[in-house]
Structures are given as C-alpha cells and as structure tokens.
Amino acid sequence: MKIKYLTFLFLIALFCSNVNAQEFKLGKVSIAELEQKVHPKDSAAVAAILFKKGQTSFVFSENEGFIVVLEVTMRIKIYKKEGYNWANKQVAFLVGNGTSKEKVAFSDAVTYNLVAGKIEKTKLKSEGEFTEKVNKYWNRKKITLPNVKEGSVLEYKYEIRTDNIGMLREFDFQTDIPVNYSEYITHIPEYFVYNTKLKGFISPKITTEKSNQSITINSKERSGGGWTASSTNFTTDKIDYLQTKTTYVIENAPAMKDEAFVNNIDNFTTSLVQELSMTQYPNRPIKPYSTDWNSVAKTIYEYDDFGPELNKTGYFEEDLKAVIAGLSSQDEIITAILNYVKATVKWNENYGYSCDEGVKKAYKDKVGNVAEINLMLTAMLRTAGLKANPVLVSTRSNGISIFPNRTAYNYVIAAVETPQGIILLDATNKYSTPNVLPFRDLNWIGRLIRKDGSSDEVDLMPKMASTDHVTMLYAIDAIGKITGKLRRQRTAHNAMSFRSKIENVKEEDYLEKLENENQKIEIADYSRTNEKDLKLPIMETCSFTGTNLCEVIGEKIYINPLLFFTKEHNPFNKETREYPIDYGFPFIESYNINIDIPEGYVVETLPKSAQLNMEENIGGFKFRANASGNKIQLIISHQINTPIISSEYYSMMKDYYQGMITKQTEKIVLKKV
C-alpha cells in the first residue's frame, strides 16, 4: 500500500535508531564459535542460527512517499554436511504489479573457517549472487556463500525496500534448525497503526518504548505569479511526532521438528505478522485500511490478467463444440471438458492466480501456468452452459494466511455450482477427476469468485473416502514357505497418487522395489488394469512367494496374518502434540485375507476379534478373525472419516494407533498334530 505526499505541510521520516542488542554484530565471529562441534542443546542439529536480527523502519521520499525498509542480519553455524544448504539464501521481491515495487540488496556476506588456529574469511563473489525470474510480478535474489565446510560460520545481511506498507514482511523467529537468539525491532511513527499477530507456540519477550522525534524539512513557497528560481522562497519546518519502538526477543528457540501428518510446518512456526489497520495524520480524518477476504477476491478478479481472461472464448469455441457434441448430462460435459483441457495444455509447473502469457497463447502453445489452464477450463465450462467460477487457493506449501491479503493465494482452480453441491476441478494434473484434486490443493479453505464480484468460502477438503482394498489368498507349507495371490484396488486420491507414482517407471524397476520393500518376496504374473481409465479404480494383481514371512520354531509356525502389510510403528510417538493431524482426505484401508494352513497342523492361537472406535466418529478399526478346519479368514479395516483432526484428540489418536498396531502384530500360532 503506497501513501503519497499530499498537500498537508508535514513530511516525516522515521528515526531509525542504530540498535545493537547485546554483542551480536557482524564481523565479530569468535574462535569458540568456529571450534564448536555440536549444538549444546541439540546434538542432532545439522546447523544453527547463532543470531538473527531484523529491523523495520520507515523513510520518506518526496518522489515516492513512505517506504518500508527491512534489514536482516544473520550468523549461522554449520555442524554437518547436511547443513550446507544454509549457505544458500533467497529473497523474493515484487518487480511491479501496477501498485508496488521492491528492491533487495545483500551485503557483508562472508564465510569464516578456522585454519591452523586462525580465522580465515572468504567473501561472497559476484558469481555467487544472482537474480532469477519467478513470474512477471516476482523475482528472487539468491546468494550462495563460498568455501563452506563442516564447522564454518556464515554471515550476511540483506535489505528489502518496499513501498508496500500495507503488510509488513513476516518475521520468523523459528525454523527447522535451532535459533540461539532472534530479535525483531519495529520503529513505527504515530501516524500508522498496525494489527499485530504472533503465530506459533513460543511467546517472545516484548518491550516497548516511546520517544519524541522530529525532522526538519524544506518547503517551497511561491511569491508572485509563477514558479521561478527568483520567485521561490524556501522555509524550514520542524515536524514533531511520537515514535514507538517495539522489540521482540526469543532465545534458544528449538528446531521445528516435522511430525507425521502435518500440513505445512510453517503454519506453526513462531513468527510475527503485521497488517496496516489505519492511518491517522494530523488534522486529517482517520483512514482505515484493514480489508476482508471479499474485497481481496474482488480486487483479484478485476486484475487484467484474471477476470478479463475468463471472457476470452473465441479461441476455443469451435473445438469445444466437438468435445461436448452428443453429451447431455452435466457430469459427462464436466468430465469431457476437464479431460480435454488436461490433454491439450500441459502445466509448466508455475504457480500463481495471474496469467503470465494469457489463455489464448497457452492454448496455442499447448503449455501454461496454473491460472492459464484453470481459467481456460472455467471459461469452457461457462461456454458449455454451466455455472462455473474460479476458486482462489493457497496451496499446502504456501501455508495459511492470518490476514486477508492478495499474496495469501498462489493458485486457482475451477468450480461448478450444482443443486447437489460444488464440484471442484484442477486440470494441471493428468490424473485428477471431478472433486479429486491434487494433494497440493487440499489446504483448508478456498474462495470462489463470481462475475458480480461476490465471493464465498469453499471447503477444499474432500468428503468422499479414498479406498485402498487388498484381497489376499495364501497357503503356508510345513517349512514356512508362503505362496499366494494378491489383488489391490485403489480409488479417488489413493488412485491418483498411485498413478502419479508409477508414471514413467518401468514395470521391472517397480516390481524389484516392491519385492525388496516387502521382505524379499518373489512376484510373478503381475498385471495392472484401469491405469488410464480414471473413472475406474486402478487395480494390481499378482502371485507372490516368500520364505521370510513367518517363523517356524520347533513344531509351531508363527504368522502375522497381514504379512508385509502389517503396521508395526506408531506414527504418533511423542508425549504431546501441538499441531493438527492432517491426512488431507478421508480414507478406508481394508483387507480380506484367506489362509490355508498346512496339512497336519491345527490353529493353536487365533487373535480375537476386536473393534476400536474413536470419539466424534473420527474413525475406527475392525478386526474379525475366524478359523474353520484348515482355513482361516480375516477381515480388517482402518478408517479415518475426518481429514483434519484437532491436536486435542492427539492422546486418543496415539492410543488408537497403538491398539491397532498391537492387534495387527498379534500372531496366529499353528501347532503340528
């Protein structure tokens, strides 16, 4: 948000105090820091941030108005080779979206090593710094520090200058390595009021102090009838204002540890976000700036590279007639158009809700970004008479924004509104189908925008369970060799994931890996059906033989009935959890197993049937076992009905998984008679 100099007398610039908290200064690397072999509080850490300091200030330019300057200084310790990636730093910046522009500059980038007891400095060279284009709005400036080794200490500083004062850059106090000391300071004049929100689970120490500041400016006064050097008088004005300095400090922040079924760990990283709430200039009315999601969506829709692109239809109209010719049902038309776009335009893997080259060029060149593909899809659906609209999405990797703002979204999909509900579509993935979106899209809530500018929240999380059904028939001989047949059938998101996994993988390579991952079984007669027919479940069938699938001890045979499908490890192994459990979609895993026991043996021990149910119908586990003569039958299922589960249920989930694993690992015992 850019605020220009208007007609009132005052001009202000924020007094930027040169704060150097404690002894943390660039260039003051110690021998002790270089000699340190492991992090004192996290011996597994591959690197650590010894200090990170950020400072945001405002400066004024008569030509540009107010701009925000963020300066960040870092010192990083490298412990292991796995931490070498911390020698790379990149900063994204706007190159112009019609309203804002930014500049990024790196400086003081140095690698320190200890050589023969002395500190050796290696400065960043020009070839280690470069800029790359992300899209027409964004670039990235990157540096790669030189001469990095185990034990190195790295330092650098970067500065971002922006005329976007509406949303200050998010400051992270935490990351996936330990942070010994982090400090963030803001200097904000009384004329700007920000909403401030902290994410994460660590509370910083916050101190504030107010001070009177003033600046002296020169103004021009006109005498006579025109502006000339001789008719211009210069006056000096002193402007007094109140400044608030706020300091946020966190010491010894632990590394963020990724856990099972976490959406995006950055959603829970301790960080600070600030959004401009209002401006209050002297002798001027208060002007509010906080926005809402409806306003954000409407603004995006009106961009030239968004809404107007939906109105371009001439380039595909004749082709579309052929695509939907003879089709009458809504579902047939939707599927046909989706499949046509998927087959016609390849995704170039560029994200964004704005078109780069435009839908017409993407159609002609048969390649485009997310917006070009899915806005094209939306336009075709509309042309076919369907009530179709775009849906703005923040992908899982982009996280979830606290404040309404345009950068909260980085993706767009299509939606068709029907009496039965909304059908969501994404043509960037060749294996997607109606309401089966790529996993990256499944991130809580999107926003559907209509032609009239109205918008609504859309739940992106699937309602239909994806299934993974396994049928096994196998026989055990007296020496413990198992021979059997297997059929596995996957639907919905499980099917899409599997189709993507095996794409471009040779069958022999896939089977070799499958054999090695499943106790060295031997697979024969392998076949796969419905690989390309997305309307149907994808199915695998094979025969298998294994000599390591059960134990023979004396005259007894011990078998895990699920064989290589047995779950042995609880993914929830911590005492407590602060993050939601995010599966992405509901699912059902089921097994139908029939076992023939060897002649001369009887069942001595058969696991008892059991059922585990979770609260709030979150899910359940069923285990049914029955023996008759020389045959054993088991029916087992594990079902999760809710894609996102609050951390308050963590203890229950942990116990549920432990109970399920205990039951699955109970052995059938056969005794020789």
Side-chain angles (χ1 to χ4, degrees):
M1 193 176 301
K2 187 174 178 180
I3 296 183
K4 298 285 189 179
Y5 172 62
L6 299 175
T7 57
F8 40 93
L9 281 176
F10 87 100
L11 295 173
I12 59 174
L14 183 68
F15 171 74
C16 301
S17 58
N18 186 16
V19 179
N20 290 302
Q22 299 188 31
E23 70 280 16
F24 300 123
K25 296 179 181 179
L26 294 182
K28 300 293 183 180
V29 174
S30 67
I31 289 179
E33 288 171 324
L34 288 163
E35 287 179 334
Q36 192 177 75
K37 301 298 183 185
V38 296
H39 190 270
K41 295 191 175 184
D42 185 352
S43 60
V46 299
I49 296 175
L50 302 184
F51 73 78
K52 176 182 181 180
K53 292 168 58 179
Q55 182 169 255
T56 290
S57 56
F58 289 68
V59 297
F60 184 83
S61 162
E62 292 192 37
N63 294 325
E64 295 184 284
F66 283 101
I67 65 170
V68 176
V69 179
L70 169 64
E71 183 181 280
V72 178
T73 57
M74 301 270 286
R75 180 180 295 165
I76 301 165
K77 171 71 179 181
I78 305 297
Y79 295 112
K80 303 176 183 178
K81 289 180 180 179
E82 294 80 2
Y84 283 5
N85 62 304
W86 281 92
N88 305 313
K89 178 63 181 179
Q90 62 182 33
V91 178
F93 62 99
L94 277 168
V95 291
N97 64 358
T99 58
S100 297
K101 58 183 179 180
E102 298 178 334
K103 294 180 181 179
V104 174
F106 280 92
S107 62
D108 301 321
V110 180
T111 301
Y112 296 85
N113 288 298
L114 194 62
V115 179
K118 295 183 179 180
I119 297 175
E120 178 185 85
K121 295 170 59 175
T122 308
K123 294 183 178 181
L124 176 70
K125 297 181 180 179
S126 57
E127 59 265 27
E129 180 176 348
F130 56 95
T131 301
E132 68 176 16
K133 181 179 179 180
V134 178
N135 54 43
K136 65 182 179 180
Y137 298 124
W138 288 90
N139 281 0
R140 266 193 295 257
K141 181 156 283 193
K142 293 184 173 183
I143 62 168
T144 300
L145 284 119
N147 198 26
V148 177
K149 306 172 184 178
E150 292 181 343
S152 295
V153 171
L154 317 176
E155 287 188 341
Y156 58 80
K157 176 170 69 175
Y158 63 87
E159 181 183 272
I160 305 172
R161 301 175 73 89
T162 177
D163 54 10
N164 180 4
I165 69 169
M167 180 75 70
L168 302 184
R169 286 274 180 144
E170 185 170 349
F171 187 85
D172 296 325
F173 295 92
Q174 217 178 354
T175 184
D176 59 358
I177 59 174
V179 182
N180 293 4
Y181 180 87
S182 56
E183 169 191 281
Y184 181 53
I185 299 173
T186 60
H187 303 274
I188 299 179
E190 62 182 288
Y191 310 110
F192 304 100
V193 178
Y194 282 87
N195 289 326
T196 299
K197 289 193 179 181
L198 280 160
K199 291 195 305 182
F201 303 100
I202 302 175
S203 298
K205 178 183 177 183
I206 303 173
T207 58
T208 60
E209 55 184 275
K210 297 184 182 294
S211 60
N212 293 311
Q213 303 294 332
S214 65
I215 60 169
T216 301
I217 61 170
N218 293 318
S219 311
K220 295 178 181 180
E221 288 186 349
R222 200 169 57 169
S223 61
W227 288 102
T228 66
S230 60
S231 64
T232 303
N233 297 321
F234 291 89
T235 63
T236 300
D237 296 305
K238 183 180 180 184
I239 308 298
D240 296 319
Y241 64 92
L242 188 67
Q243 171 183 280
T244 301
K245 171 188 172 185
T246 307
T247 303
Y248 307 84
V249 174
I250 292 180
E251 297 187 66
N252 299 316
M256 292 292 290
K257 303 291 188 182
D258 211 352
E259 299 181 29
F261 307 113
V262 173
N263 177 336
N264 180 345
I265 197 71
D266 289 343
N267 290 332
F268 313 103
T269 298
T270 301
S271 61
L272 183 138
V273 185
Q274 292 175 294
E275 177 204 37
L276 185 64
S277 172
M278 67 180 73
T279 56
Q280 45 187 21
Y281 297 118
N283 305 316
R284 302 280 293 183
I286 290 174
K287 185 175 181 180
Y289 283 98
S290 293
T291 187
D292 57 29
W293 291 113
N294 276 309
S295 300
V296 168
K298 189 174 187 297
T299 298
I300 291 173
Y301 196 92
E302 291 170 351
Y303 284 164
D304 289 341
D305 47 19
F306 192 94
E309 294 289 321
L310 290 164
N311 299 325
K312 299 173 182 177
T313 60
Y315 65 96
F316 65 67
E317 285 181 351
E318 288 303 314
D319 295 335
L320 183 62
K321 289 177 183 178
V323 171
I324 61 176
L327 303 180
S328 56
S329 78
Q330 173 184 269
D331 289 347
E332 285 178 324
I333 293 170
I334 291 172
T335 300
I337 295 174
L338 174 64
N339 289 338
Y340 176 70
V341 175
K342 289 192 298 181
T344 304
V345 187
K346 183 181 179 181
W347 182 38
N348 61 15
E349 299 193 5
N350 286 338
Y351 287 52
Y353 53 70
S354 299
C355 297
D356 285 339
E357 302 293 340
V359 289
K360 291 176 67 175
K361 192 171 191 307
Y363 190 74
K364 178 183 176 182
D365 295 346
K366 300 187 182 301
V367 63
N369 72 354
V370 165
E372 287 152 352
I373 290 172
N374 284 329
L375 293 182
M376 180 190 305
L377 172 63
T378 305
M380 288 187 184
L381 294 165
R382 286 180 175 180
T383 303
L386 299 169
K387 189 178 179 183
N389 291 293
V391 176
L392 295 168
V393 171
S394 174
T395 59
R396 294 171 82 88
S397 63
N398 195 53
I400 298 168
S401 179
I402 294 177
F403 294 116
N405 68 93
R406 295 187 301 275
T407 60
Y409 300 112
N410 70 327
Y411 204 89
V412 61
I413 61 175
V416 178
E417 296 181 77
T418 75
Q420 293 75 37
I422 291 177
I423 298 172
L424 300 176
L425 308 161
D426 186 345
T428 63
N429 185 300
K430 64 164 63 173
Y431 302 116
S432 72
T433 56
N435 279 335
V436 180
L437 301 173
F439 193 71
R440 60 179 170 267
D441 298 2
L442 308 181
N443 193 30
W444 295 70
I445 299 293
R447 183 157 288 271
L448 182 148
I449 327 173
R450 301 182 183 87
K451 294 179 184 179
D452 61 5
S454 65
S455 66
D456 286 314
E457 285 188 345
V458 173
D459 188 354
L460 299 170
M461 307 310 287
K463 306 296 185 295
M464 178 181 69
S466 298
T467 64
D468 187 352
H469 180 68
V470 175
T471 299
M472 282 197 297
L473 299 90
Y474 62 85
I476 309 166
D477 69 14
I479 60 172
K481 180 180 179 181
I482 291 180
T483 304
K485 293 184 178 181
L486 180 151
R487 182 179 68 192
R488 188 171 189 177
Q489 178 178 294
R490 299 174 175 91
T491 67
H493 286 89
N494 284 330
M496 180 170 65
S497 175
F498 181 67
R499 287 182 170 111
S500 297
K501 176 183 175 182
I502 61 175
E503 185 179 14
N504 301 323
V505 177
K506 291 181 180 178
E507 185 175 294
E508 61 185 271
D509 293 337
Y510 170 73
L511 293 179
E512 182 181 0
K513 184 178 180 183
L514 199 62
E515 289 175 335
N516 290 333
E517 289 177 346
N518 291 287
Q519 299 177 328
K520 305 293 184 180
I521 60 173
E522 294 182 7
I523 294 175
D525 305 320
Y526 179 82
S527 68
R528 193 184 293 152
T529 55
N530 305 330
E531 187 173 347
K532 304 298 182 184
D533 191 345
L534 306 187
K535 299 188 301 296
L536 299 174
I538 186 166
M539 190 179 300
E540 295 178 283
T541 58
C542 68
S543 302
F544 66 92
T545 304
T547 56
N548 301 310
L549 300 176
C550 60
E551 290 181 287
V552 179
I553 302 175
E555 295 187 337
K556 294 184 179 182
I557 301 175
Y558 299 81
I559 314 123
N560 270 340
L562 278 163
L563 303 179
F564 35 80
F565 289 106
T566 304
K567 288 183 172 64
E568 297 180 341
H569 303 289
N570 190 339
F572 306 118
N573 52 22
K574 294 190 175 182
E575 286 301 314
T576 60
R577 176 169 171 141
E578 294 171 321
Y579 322 132
I581 297 162
D582 188 333
Y583 293 100
F585 51 86
F587 63 86
I588 302 171
E589 296 173 354
S590 58
Y591 304 88
N592 194 327
I593 302 169
N594 290 276
I595 306 170
D596 289 338
I597 67 175
E599 187 175 347
Y601 281 78
V602 295
V603 177
E604 181 181 71
T605 304
L606 184 69
K608 293 181 180 179
S609 296
Q611 183 167 334
L612 303 173
N613 294 317
M614 287 188 277
E615 299 172 21
E616 307 292 336
N617 195 33
I618 288 172
F621 172 73
K622 295 178 182 178
F623 186 99
R624 298 283 183 268
N626 182 58
S628 178
N630 71 332
K631 295 187 181 298
I632 301 171
Q633 183 180 41
L634 299 102
I635 299 174
I636 303 165
S637 67
H638 162 46
Q639 181 168 344
I640 295 293
N641 301 319
T642 306
I644 302 174
I645 300 167
S646 169
S647 60
E648 67 181 284
Y649 294 107
Y650 176 69
S651 178
M652 178 193 72
M653 292 292 295
K654 182 179 178 181
D655 292 344
Y656 167 81
Y657 267 80
Q658 194 55 52
M660 179 173 65
I661 289 166
T662 299
K663 179 52 66 175
Q664 284 194 13
T665 52
E666 285 184 21
K667 295 182 185 294
I668 296 171
V669 182
L670 306 179
K671 181 181 179 181
K672 190 173 183 179
V673 293

